[in-house]
Amino acid sequence: MEEQADIQQIKPPTNAKGPVGWLRENLFNTWYNALLTCVALLFLYFTFKGILTWAFTEAEWNVIPANLQLFAIGPYPRDQVFRIWICLYILTGLLGLSAGIWRGIVQRWTIVVGSIFLVFLVIPFEIVPRQDSNYVSIEFRFNLIWLIFESRRWLLGNIAILIVTFFLGNRISRLRPWILGGWILSFPIIMFVLHGFGENAVHTSLWGGLMLTLILAVVGIAVSFPLGVFLALCRQSKLPAIKWVSIFYIETVRGVPLITILFMGNTLITIFIPYFTIDQVLKMMVAITLFSAAYMAENVRGGLQSIPRGQHEAAQAVGLNYVQSMLFVVLPQALRAVIPAIVGQFIALFKDTSLVSIIGLIDLLGVAKSILAEWLGRHVEVYLFIALIYFIFCFAMSKVSQEIEAELGVGKR
């Protein structure tokens, strides 16, 4: 018993070194590492000192809040902004229902979206008007206060819808097929609400800002993915006509830059379909989708080639035909293997939507150019804000990709 008591009193060794120990082991373990650390610290000090000094003392950040609505929706009529909020309500309701039903990743990102709504709801901000006339300044400030009040009211409604739909989806699991159908139908419904009809119709030439960027990106991602999968399967077909047509399309599109596809889409679509009037936004959707589908096809083809031949033979051995073996055996494994490449293509597509500003559409980058025509000398502030918006969305897609890979065990089994 005494020996057992002595054994229990022995404490396990600890590997904790503390901050000083970690610095000594990793940054100052040799004389040249210590020298490199000091040089790096001096470089970071002088670099960030200039950046921080400019950001807090010289930069005029009032250009951002003064044009926040223009960044968000571009020249969309201000008296029709309620349509955008209705569309956001539709998406928020679907997101809340999806989070309540599927949980997991969807629930975590729904919490992130709800937190963003809450931050914009409670954050205090005031925009200083730029006009010199007192009368114009007072009128501008009054309109601005009313705009802020209206936005907070709509945001409060979004938070309420998100909470209600989450608990509804959590309790009624039989809504799952309806939610999938709702996501599919949400796009045409949103496009109809944004455009409208009759005298109150808002032409797509008035769509702009972040709203237009997201519409182009979502359409390109949602349509180019199944089209890319179809092209990848056609390229591996044993029928020469289907195979070589697919190869010709993929290699032709991948051999030219996106800007040429956009210019060609802007002119050739009208030539091929002369009896229908197609607006410029729809032309850009088609051009971006066709361009991205060619790259998506190659990503999916790489995944298909990574699947061993034994998987095809095993599917045939249990009585599955070609379509069934592809849908239930081969494609799930192939897509799982190329998730990083697919999401990388989605991120590239989202950033490439900025090229439509060259065609004449007022997307997020086009709005920045129009703002700089009035706010002279504020190029750095405006473009930094635009870069931050692109980074947030791209980083979010990257994080979702990593979580999906972790859920599916990519690279682990």
Side-chain angles (χ1 to χ4, degrees):
M1 295 296 294
E2 294 180 358
E3 293 180 358
Q4 186 176 1
D6 294 338
I7 293 174
Q8 291 178 353
Q9 291 178 0
I10 299 175
K11 296 182 180 181
T14 177
N15 292 326
K17 299 181 176 61
V20 177
W22 183 89
L23 291 173
R24 184 178 301 173
E25 181 178 353
N26 294 277
L27 300 180
F28 298 96
N29 53 345
T30 60
W31 68 269
Y32 50 86
N33 276 343
L35 179 61
L36 290 175
T37 300
C38 293
V39 171
L41 290 175
L42 288 174
F43 174 78
L44 292 175
Y45 171 75
F46 287 109
T47 301
F48 284 98
K49 179 184 177 182
I51 295 176
L52 295 176
T53 301
W54 171 84
F56 288 101
T57 61
E58 301 176 9
E60 295 185 12
W61 295 108
N62 57 336
V63 63
I64 305 303
N67 298 281
L68 200 57
Q69 190 172 7
L70 195 59
F71 280 116
I73 61 176
Y76 200 87
R78 298 304 182 261
D79 59 337
Q80 302 295 322
V81 173
F82 69 92
R83 300 186 185 188
I84 300 176
W85 287 108
I86 293 174
C87 296
L88 193 59
Y89 277 7
I90 295 173
L91 295 177
T92 302
L94 290 173
L95 184 62
L97 290 171
S98 302
I101 292 175
W102 282 285
R103 305 263 181 164
I105 299 175
V106 182
Q107 181 177 343
R108 289 195 293 272
W109 282 95
T110 302
I111 295 174
V112 172
V113 172
S115 302
I116 294 174
F117 287 156
L118 186 61
V119 168
F120 279 103
L121 178 66
V122 302
I123 187 172
F125 64 91
E126 181 183 8
I127 305 172
V128 180
R130 200 171 176 228
Q131 285 81 354
D132 297 330
S133 171
N134 292 330
Y135 174 75
V136 176
S137 297
I138 293 173
E139 183 181 4
F140 181 78
R141 187 180 294 275
F142 175 77
N143 293 335
L144 181 62
I145 293 173
W146 176 253
L147 175 63
I148 294 173
F149 174 75
E150 286 292 311
S151 300
R152 293 185 191 278
R153 188 175 66 176
W154 286 105
L155 281 171
L156 185 61
N158 268 292
I159 296 174
I161 289 177
L162 198 64
I163 295 173
V164 171
T165 53
F166 171 76
F167 285 105
L168 182 63
N170 192 19
R171 293 179 177 273
I172 307 177
S173 59
R174 64 176 180 271
L175 292 174
R176 181 172 299 183
W178 295 96
I179 301 304
L180 293 175
W183 280 111
I184 296 174
L185 294 176
S186 63
F187 176 72
I189 293 174
I190 288 174
M191 295 291 287
F192 176 77
V193 172
L194 290 177
H195 191 278
F197 61 92
E199 297 180 355
N200 295 325
V202 180
H203 195 264
T204 54
S205 60
L206 297 177
W207 297 10
L210 181 61
M211 177 185 70
L212 180 60
T213 298
L214 291 177
I215 289 175
L216 293 174
V218 170
V219 172
I221 290 172
V223 181
S224 66
F225 177 71
L227 183 57
V229 173
F230 175 75
L231 289 171
L233 295 176
C234 289
R235 184 160 186 169
Q236 289 194 329
S237 175
K238 296 180 180 180
L239 299 176
I242 297 177
K243 179 179 180 180
W244 288 107
V245 169
S246 176
I247 292 176
F248 175 79
Y249 170 79
I250 293 173
E251 298 302 331
T252 301
V253 173
R254 292 176 70 226
V256 295
L258 175 58
I259 189 62
T260 60
I261 301 293
L262 296 179
F263 278 114
M264 291 172 63
N266 194 31
T267 56
L268 294 182
I269 291 178
T270 306
I271 296 175
F272 284 115
I273 312 177
Y275 301 105
F276 296 93
T277 302
I278 302 178
D279 57 56
Q280 204 169 19
V281 172
L282 184 58
K283 292 177 184 177
M284 294 303 100
M285 289 179 183
V286 174
I288 291 174
T289 300
L290 295 178
F291 180 82
S292 180
Y295 286 86
M296 188 62 61
E298 287 300 280
N299 292 333
V300 176
R301 186 173 69 90
L304 291 173
Q305 290 181 341
S306 68
I307 306 302
R309 185 62 188 171
Q311 296 292 318
H312 299 265
E313 297 173 352
Q316 294 175 0
V318 297
L320 299 180
N321 57 31
Y322 176 80
V323 177
Q324 292 173 334
S325 63
M326 278 294 173
L327 288 178
F328 301 116
V329 178
V330 179
L331 267 180
Q333 298 181 68
L335 296 178
R336 174 178 172 269
V338 292
I339 289 177
I342 292 175
V343 177
Q345 178 60 32
F346 290 163
I347 293 174
L349 186 150
F350 178 75
K351 293 184 293 184
D352 287 343
T353 56
S354 60
L355 292 175
V356 300
S357 62
I358 303 175
I359 308 299
L361 295 181
I362 311 176
D363 71 321
L364 193 58
L365 188 60
V367 167
K369 294 178 180 179
S370 64
I371 291 174
L372 290 174
E374 297 182 2
W375 295 73
L376 300 177
R378 302 275 68 85
H379 294 75
V380 179
E381 293 88 339
V382 171
Y383 284 126
L384 277 177
F385 180 70
I386 297 296
L388 178 63
I389 293 177
Y390 278 106
F391 171 77
I392 290 173
F393 281 94
C394 294
F395 181 75
M397 286 190 281
S398 177
K399 290 298 293 182
V400 170
S401 169
Q402 294 175 15
E403 292 188 11
I404 293 176
E405 292 175 32
E407 290 281 340
L408 298 179
V410 177
K412 296 181 181 179
R413 62 177 185 270

